[in-house]
């Protein structure tokens, strides 16, 4: 087979065969196909699309490029949650412990923050000692012992996706439904799950801006899940404004711990309960949302979900004392208060711009190899719909470099005001059927 | 500027600005933009197209990536001919000397054969001693002295096109009208011409298969020529069957020399006279085809065009004695006769398949760094429309490796027969208006 001929087939809108996709991916991995050939292929896929069969084969070849995990004892109860990335999204930190305590096995392989979105690994690494790069053997052991663990992508799992993802990032080929589908589904399927709950975020703070685009991605992921015989529920959730009251790393860990202590911000509660309930339903633990909600309330109230988090931190070599003593987490040197520049109701808090402003104080990263200041971040004193008087404090910025003034100014402009009262409708925009 | 952002603009069908194109090309040349980013951009251009303005800027940046030649003394008479590549196309070898003798300056920068098509440089290099890689200073001097010279692309002329072309070749991004336009026009404009005659070949032996595609390319080249204030005439010519009676390298040199001695194969005469006439008209030397034809007949009959070729060979360090003594050219070790496998009229001689069959005996090359056997080639004993009796000799293959039987078998299958008489309509398919 000839790489250019296969690129030309896709360029000319023909379907690729399983053999061609297998050859292209395996030759890329072993270096026979060059980056410049892969990037031309990626652009052709982005612009010309792929059939369900092609996406299935692509996902298959991504998975087969590395090792896969298995939890044969799960009996259908191994369910993960995947979020497509947002601002202030600390959901994994709560969902893992809660679902685990309800009897679900949750083997989460997570990512780092990039651009305006945060990453679960960066948040966890705020905890002194916490290890996100542990062996897959140890990872499986922790999942078996505590029902949940959260680690970073390992070099030997789905290497094709990792290599192709970094190429997509610099060649304008990220926003392709077939490529996003194969990337997400391959990693989740390789981690040994029986089923998957997707939190598909939509809005300016998400990678997917419109419901139309979100529905196409959902349809594609749903088909591929079925092709691999995996159960799936896909939720569309609103990511125009940041989730919760804190954005950053250490501050989001605190917010997650508080959540498990029962101090829940309404939007966080709404999304967390829905996603965990879907996991319980897929696992066969609950029959419906009402049953799941009762279970979740219970494991929060009796402190068992909180205990799971403590144990999880301990098992991954973090200092479990942080969950009682937040002063053990990285502390910011400076705090800058941000005030409302007019009176009115908060119409929106532009989460994409907040994400980018926080990169300036190193709460996030522009390039994959940038370092993070785990103490940097933002606390919101108001949310969408909130009434604000000019001069009132709307947020507090935590930072430790010389970009505080610039970031604070940018964040001030992220608040959109309205003269009229704003009615909020919640974060849940529906599920994919 | 950010390379990925510029790729995304083109991916999303937006027009690129002059600054963006300038940045992308110059950064690619100096290594700041990687091959994999350029190939993603090339695929986006191929699939989403470019406006006339974008193609103009791209051509401008190609030209400005290297040095340019000037013939200020030409007074409008510096006219080149460009062919888009075919099988048996030795036209440049006749056109240069004829047009030169008629008073046109012809600074031809030519290419090598690749795939099924032959290259003028390979043909010329059959002549012992002939140098196609000479300095641009010497090239200009020869053009001034003898009115024509033919050399290979120099490293410091239009380097952007050379780098991008080799990338296009391996990434399935050759067949793009904006990219083909910029590639052809930049090289010709950089060589200092006042006007250009295009021989746009159409058919299975050409890169352009259909008249529809040919018209789009002609329209694009015609616009860019006008934008650069260059005169242009574009001829569409038929490239389904090979041109002339010989295909190869040394054998095509012989056919070209015979042509200048007055022994003209009708299809070669038809196309050569038309293209030279167009050059004379653009140069202001002739008013119309009839006038031009008289001039061409004259310079052939009086042997002056022949003398120009002899002098041209001498000026480029070739042995001029070859034009009287063909035994000084590379001689094939083996000859294999190919016979008609049925009785009838020749409906077509598949030039693309002939081109590929001749690669097997090294008359052509599959990869840019393959070596050529200059003596290998094919002689046709019949042409389209010819009447043939089963068992009659239709061709003779010249070769010097162990692929002769295989190539001869493949060539035998290139002849298509018809029971009914075939009427031929000539090679000229019209001009672009």
């Amino acid at each position: 087979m000839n790489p250019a001929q296969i690129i030309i087939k896709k360029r000319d809108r023909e379907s690729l065969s399983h053999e061609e996709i297998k050859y292209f991916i395996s030759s890329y991995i072993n270096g026979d196909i060059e980056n410049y050939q892969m990037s031309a292929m990626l652009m052709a896929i982005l612009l010309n699309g792929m059939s369900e069969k092609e996406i299935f084969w692509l996902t298959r070849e991504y998975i087969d490029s590395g090792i896969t995990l298995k939890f044969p004892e799960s009996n259908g109860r191994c369910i993960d949650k995947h979020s497509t990335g947002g601002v202030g999204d600390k959901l994994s930190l709560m969902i893992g412990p809660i679902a685990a305590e309800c009897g679900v096995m949750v083997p989460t392989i997570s990512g780092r923050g990039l651009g305006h979105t945060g990453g679960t690994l960066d948040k966890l690494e705020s905890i002194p000692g916490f290890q996100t790069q542990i062996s897959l053997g140890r990872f499986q052991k922790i999942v078996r012992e505590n029902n949940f663990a959260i680690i970073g992508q390992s070099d030997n799992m789905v290497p094709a996706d990792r290599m192709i993802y970094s190429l997509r990032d610099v060649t304008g080929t990220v926003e392709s439904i077939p490529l996003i589908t194969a990337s997400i589904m391959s990693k989740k399927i390789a981690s040994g799950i029986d089923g998957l709950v997707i939190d598909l975020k939509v809005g300016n703070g998400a990678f997917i801006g419109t419901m139309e685009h979100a529905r196409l991605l959902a349809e594609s992921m749903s088909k591929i899940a079925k092709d691999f015989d995996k159960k799936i529920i896909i939720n569309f959730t609103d990511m125009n404004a940041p989730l919760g009251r804190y954005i950053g790393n250490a501050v989001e860990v605190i917010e997650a711990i508080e959540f498990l202590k029962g101090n829940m911000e309404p939007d966080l509660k709404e999304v967390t309960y829905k996603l965990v309930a879907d996991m319980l339903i897929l696992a066969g633990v609950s029959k419906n949302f009402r049953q799941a909600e009762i279970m979740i309330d219970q494991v929060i109230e009796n402190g068992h979900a909180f205990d799971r988090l403590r144990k999880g931190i301990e098992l991954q070599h973090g200092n479990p004392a942080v969950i009682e003593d937040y002063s053990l987490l990285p502390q910011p040197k400076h705090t800058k208060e941000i005030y409302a520049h007019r009176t009115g109701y908060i119409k929106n808090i532009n989460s994409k711009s907040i994400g980018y402003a926080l990169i300036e104080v190193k709460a996030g990263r522009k390039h994959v190899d940038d370092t993070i200041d785990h103490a940097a971040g933002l606390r919101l004193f108001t949310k969408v719909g909130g009434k604000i008087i000019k001069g009132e404090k709307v947020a507090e910025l935590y930072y430790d470099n010389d970009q505080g003034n610039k970031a604070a100014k940018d964040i001030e402009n992220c608040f959109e005001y309205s003269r009229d009262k704003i009615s909020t409708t919640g974060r849940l925009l529906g599920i994919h059927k």
Side-chain angles (χ1 to χ4, degrees), chain A:
Chain A
M1 285 197 234
N2 174 323
Q5 287 306 318
I6 302 176
I7 299 171
I8 287 171
K9 255 184 105 170
K10 179 44 65 187
R11 178 196 87 184
D12 294 347
R13 298 179 182 274
E14 289 178 59
S15 284
L16 303 182
S17 69
H18 187 184
E19 287 63 39
E20 286 164 336
I21 292 173
K22 192 186 185 75
Y23 166 79
F24 213 87
I25 299 295
S26 61
S27 302
Y28 180 60
I29 301 276
N30 69 29
D32 287 344
I33 284 182
E34 302 281 351
N35 274 330
Y36 53 75
Q37 293 176 312
M38 181 55 85
S39 67
M41 174 63 100
L42 295 172
M43 185 57 82
I45 291 173
L46 186 144
L47 289 170
N48 288 343
M50 271 187 150
S51 69
E52 179 183 345
K53 266 194 177 162
E54 289 174 286
I55 302 172
F56 172 70
W57 290 323
L58 184 64
T59 307
R60 174 91 271 159
E61 294 311 316
Y62 272 21
I63 295 170
D64 289 352
S65 71
I67 61 167
T68 54
L69 305 184
K70 281 193 182 66
F71 296 98
E73 73 276 37
S74 73
N75 212 358
R77 288 178 306 107
C78 186
I79 310 290
D80 199 7
K81 182 268 326 178
H82 177 78
S83 153
T84 56
V87 176
D89 177 5
K90 66 282 298 174
L91 297 174
S92 294
L93 309 187
M94 294 100 85
I95 287 175
I98 300 172
E101 183 57 30
C102 296
V104 181
M105 292 178 85
V106 192
T108 302
I109 294 176
S110 198
R112 295 189 183 279
L114 191 60
H116 64 281
T117 67
T120 299
L121 299 182
D122 296 319
K123 293 167 196 174
L124 284 168
E125 287 171 356
S126 308
I127 301 170
F130 196 96
Q131 297 292 319
T132 58
Q133 296 303 131
I134 57 180
S135 76
L136 291 174
R138 174 102 185 110
F139 173 62
Q140 290 180 88
K141 206 162 162 264
I142 299 175
V143 172
R144 286 185 176 117
E145 188 176 339
N146 198 33
N147 265 2
F148 90 98
I150 304 178
I151 60 165
Q153 216 186 323
S154 128
D155 278 357
N156 43 15
M157 253 178 95
V158 203
D161 174 66
R162 201 180 50 259
M163 289 169 68
I164 290 172
Y165 193 87
S166 46
L167 191 60
R168 285 165 62 200
D169 194 42
V170 291
T171 56
T173 51
V174 169
E175 298 85 352
S176 153
I177 285 177
L179 297 176
I180 295 172
T181 301
S183 175
I184 294 175
M185 298 307 289
S186 63
K187 281 182 285 193
K188 291 300 163 187
I189 292 166
S191 70
I193 54 161
D194 302 306
L196 183 59
V197 174
I198 301 263
D199 172 23
L200 210 170
K201 295 187 190 291
V202 189
N204 78 59
F207 286 114
I208 311 287
T210 65
M211 272 305 289
E212 188 196 347
H213 197 184
R215 281 202 190 88
L216 290 173
L217 176 58
E219 182 63 22
S220 173
M221 290 196 291
S222 165
K223 281 178 179 164
I224 298 306
K226 283 196 187 76
D227 292 339
F228 279 96
D229 206 22
K230 303 294 175 193
K231 300 171 280 186
I232 192 166
I233 298 176
I234 302 174
N235 288 275
F236 302 111
T237 65
D238 177 1
M239 195 18 88
N240 284 303
L243 206 48
R245 292 241 173 203
Y246 291 86
I247 308 123
N249 294 286
V251 290
E252 290 199 39
V253 169
I254 297 172
E255 189 170 29
I257 296 169
E258 286 297 315
F259 187 98
L260 293 177
K261 288 180 180 166
N263 303 318
M264 302 176 185
E265 187 63 24
D267 63 344
L268 280 183
K269 178 171 181 180
E270 181 191 19
V271 182
T272 304
Y273 271 58
K274 176 63 170 71
L275 297 175
V276 175
D278 287 343
M279 292 169 81
L280 301 188
I281 291 165
L282 286 190
V285 170
S286 303
K287 285 214 169 60
N288 52 41
F289 181 78
R290 186 65 203 128
Q291 268 195 8
E293 190 182 28
I294 292 167
M295 284 187 80
I296 300 168
D297 279 342
Q298 206 167 22
V299 302
I300 302 269
E301 271 166 37
N302 64 21
H304 290 180
F306 182 78
D307 293 340
R308 286 268 169 188
L309 175 63
R310 189 203 323 260
K311 191 172 174 190
I313 292 172
E314 214 174 331
L315 286 166
Q316 291 192 234
H317 311 293
N319 180 357
V322 296
I323 75 172
E324 304 288 1
D325 180 0
Y326 301 145
S327 76
L328 297 171
L329 288 166
Q331 302 294 318
K333 285 232 176 70
H334 308 292
T335 298
K336 184 168 282 295
E337 300 189 325
I338 295 159
Y339 302 100
H341 55 68
R342 50 172 287 197
T343 294
Y345 295 88
I346 302 290
K347 200 176 152 192
N348 191 31
I349 304 170
N350 188 315
S351 56
K352 187 173 205 159
S353 303
I354 285 191
Y356 279 119
L358 287 176
I359 291 177
E360 298 168 31
V361 294
K362 295 168 120 336
R365 56 168 77 77
K366 208 181 270 180
H367 300 290
V368 273
D369 41 8
D370 292 346
T371 55
I372 289 262
D373 176 0
H374 290 99
L378 189 74
R379 177 179 178 183
L380 299 173
F381 287 93
T382 184
K383 298 274 287 177
V384 172
K387 195 180 174 186
I388 285 290
I389 293 155
K390 187 176 170 175
E392 205 177 334
K393 181 156 79 168
V394 290
E396 224 170 57
L397 176 68
Y398 310 117
Y399 66 101
D400 185 18
N401 68 1
D402 56 359
Q403 297 297 306
N405 285 335
K406 165 94 170 62
K409 190 82 210 147
D410 289 349
I411 290 166
E412 198 184 312
N413 291 323
C414 294
F415 291 84
E416 292 170 49
Y417 297 85
S418 157
R419 227 170 262 212
D420 307 316
K421 215 173 161 177
I422 296 292
S423 62
T424 54
T425 49
R427 293 279 181 174
L428 303 176
L429 304 175
I431 64 165
H432 176 73
K433 291 182 211 286

